[in-house]
Amino acid sequence: KEMNIDAVCFTGHKSLFGPTGIGGICVADDAEIHMTKWGGTGVKSAQRTHLDEYPYHLEAGTLNTMGIAGLLAGQEFIEERGGPEAIHKFEMGLMQKLWEGLREIEDVILYCAPNLENHLPVLSMNVKGFEAMNTGMMLDVDFNVATRTGLHCAPLVHQQMGTVPIGGTVRFSIGPFNTEEHIDTAIAGTREIVKLSKSWIRKS
């Protein structure tokens, strides 16, 4: 009510630590949502039309029981870690370390705000002279650092940044299971890749 929102949809695998294929919707009392599927609610089976009452109005067929259980387990994990704020604070501590470490490496291009205020623990970068895919592959194969390379489902953003010709960027996504050692490895691996890029440039 405070934000004047009629419906809020969420997916379970985005920061809620649930599996893919599960999500939910919160509907305001006075909002009407037309269903696209109907039948098989498992309640009031004698009724020949689909139920109008929520949540059954939007739930047709057998529910994703395993997904629901997984989403519940994710919520319990969040509570055990002190809630979303505590998890975010931990992740941003690692983000600060990664951001400061990569900033000090010559020929590393960072695509982020000049400070980490109001920031998420996600950071995109490139190494001059390399396409994003090559940098990500070397981080993976040589240093066991997992990143996501490419256009990240946002080609227009990469077009604006000018990163389309080199295949987008290398994206680090920090989570609650990461450690300071992981960040140290990522920084050290990036530094070695920069050294390699410089040696290749000299040879060419």
Side-chain angles (χ1 to χ4, degrees):
K1 289 182 179 179
E2 291 177 2
M3 300 179 71
N4 196 31
I5 295 174
D6 291 323
V8 175
C9 300
F10 64 90
T11 181
H13 72 281
K14 298 282 188 182
S15 301
L16 297 179
F17 304 100
T20 56
I22 186 67
I25 179 172
C26 302
V27 184
D29 293 336
D30 57 350
E32 265 191 56
I33 297 181
H34 297 287
M35 57 193 176
T36 58
K37 298 180 180 179
W38 54 89
T41 64
V43 296
K44 299 183 180 179
S45 300
Q47 185 168 321
R48 297 193 179 189
T49 57
H50 198 87
L51 304 183
D52 290 327
E53 60 191 273
Y54 290 99
Y56 313 112
H57 181 64
L58 299 178
E59 294 178 348
T62 304
L63 297 180
N64 180 3
T65 308
M66 291 181 288
I68 294 171
L71 183 58
L72 172 61
Q75 302 316 289
E76 292 171 344
F77 169 78
I78 291 173
E79 290 182 6
E80 291 169 4
R81 292 293 293 260
E85 295 81 6
I87 293 175
H88 180 70
K89 182 178 179 180
F90 171 79
E91 293 172 342
M92 288 306 297
L94 297 180
M95 175 69 172
Q96 181 82 31
K97 184 180 180 72
L98 177 65
W99 180 65
E100 291 177 352
L102 293 179
R103 279 177 52 190
E104 296 175 354
I105 304 175
E106 188 180 0
D107 289 341
V108 166
I109 306 168
L110 296 182
Y111 305 92
C112 64
N115 62 68
L116 298 183
E117 187 179 357
N118 299 320
H119 210 289
L120 293 174
V122 177
L123 176 64
S124 286
M125 69 93 174
N126 273 318
V127 172
K128 288 182 181 179
F130 281 154
E131 293 189 0
M133 181 180 67
N134 294 331
T135 301
M137 189 180 301
M138 285 185 281
L139 283 169
D140 179 22
V141 174
D142 298 331
F143 303 100
N144 199 31
V145 174
T147 63
R148 169 88 187 271
T149 65
L151 303 182
H152 309 112
C153 304
L156 296 181
V157 172
H158 285 273
Q159 182 177 325
Q160 182 191 32
M161 295 193 303
T163 55
V164 173
I166 56 174
T169 62
V170 181
R171 187 178 70 190
F172 294 92
S173 299
I174 298 172
F177 305 108
N178 287 122
T179 64
E180 291 200 13
E181 289 75 17
H182 293 154
I183 303 302
D184 290 334
T185 300
I187 295 170
T190 303
R191 187 175 288 111
E192 290 301 313
I193 292 171
V194 168
K195 290 179 182 177
L196 183 61
S197 72
K198 288 184 177 181
S199 69
W200 284 3
I201 291 173
R202 284 197 297 268
K203 288 179 183 178
S204 60

